[in-house]
């Protein structure tokens, strides 16, 4: 989800958190650190007070997002299949 959001444009931590209801700040920061260590996102710190940090995709991150877009497109075109799968999953619970 973070990669998908950053594919639209660079975002600050608070903006990412608002786009992902239910994620804790701790979990978001941990995920951002992991994605940065994998080379998928850039972290840019602006030397202002208070500090301003923004995140964006690296070139590698942009390549990783390409199949995600295909998956989102497929899901959009196949809502009926996904609805059937969801109904079947609820039956087994």
């Amino acid at each position: 989800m973070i990669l998908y959001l950053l594919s639209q444009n660079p975002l600050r931590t608070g903006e990412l958190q608002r786009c992902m209801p239910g994620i804790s700040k701790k979990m978001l920061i941990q995920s951002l650190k992991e994605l940065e260590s994998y080379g998928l996102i850039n972290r840019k710190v602006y030397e202002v007070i208070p500090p301003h940090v923004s995140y964006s995709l690296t070139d590698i991150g942009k390549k990783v997002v390409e199949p995600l877009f295909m998956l989102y497109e497929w899901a959009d075109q196949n809502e009926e299949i996904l609805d059937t799968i969801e109904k079947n999953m609820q039956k087994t619970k």
Side-chain angles (χ1 to χ4, degrees), residues 9-93:
N9 52 37
L11 295 169
R12 296 175 68 178
T13 309
E15 294 169 322
L16 281 166
Q17 192 168 16
R18 283 189 291 279
C19 292
M20 301 173 64
I23 190 168
S24 69
K25 188 166 186 167
K26 178 183 176 184
M27 190 64 202
L28 177 60
I29 297 297
Q30 182 180 340
S31 298
L32 289 168
K33 285 180 181 180
E34 285 178 10
L35 291 170
E36 185 181 12
S37 73
Y38 300 155
L40 298 174
I41 64 172
N42 288 314
R43 179 179 185 266
K44 183 173 183 181
V45 179
Y46 296 87
E47 299 298 325
V48 294
I49 298 177
H52 172 110
V53 178
S54 69
Y55 296 91
S56 61
L57 291 180
T58 63
D59 288 339
I60 295 170
K62 289 175 187 173
K63 286 288 188 190
V64 169
V65 168
E66 288 175 12
L68 292 178
F69 283 126
M70 289 188 278
L71 182 59
Y72 283 127
E73 184 179 327
W74 179 90
D76 192 44
Q77 294 171 357
N78 293 281
E79 287 182 56
E80 310 83 34
I81 293 171
L82 295 172
D83 289 342
T84 301
I85 292 170
E86 185 176 0
K87 287 176 188 173
N88 291 340
M89 288 173 62
Q90 290 174 356
K91 288 179 189 176
T92 61
K93 288 183 179 180

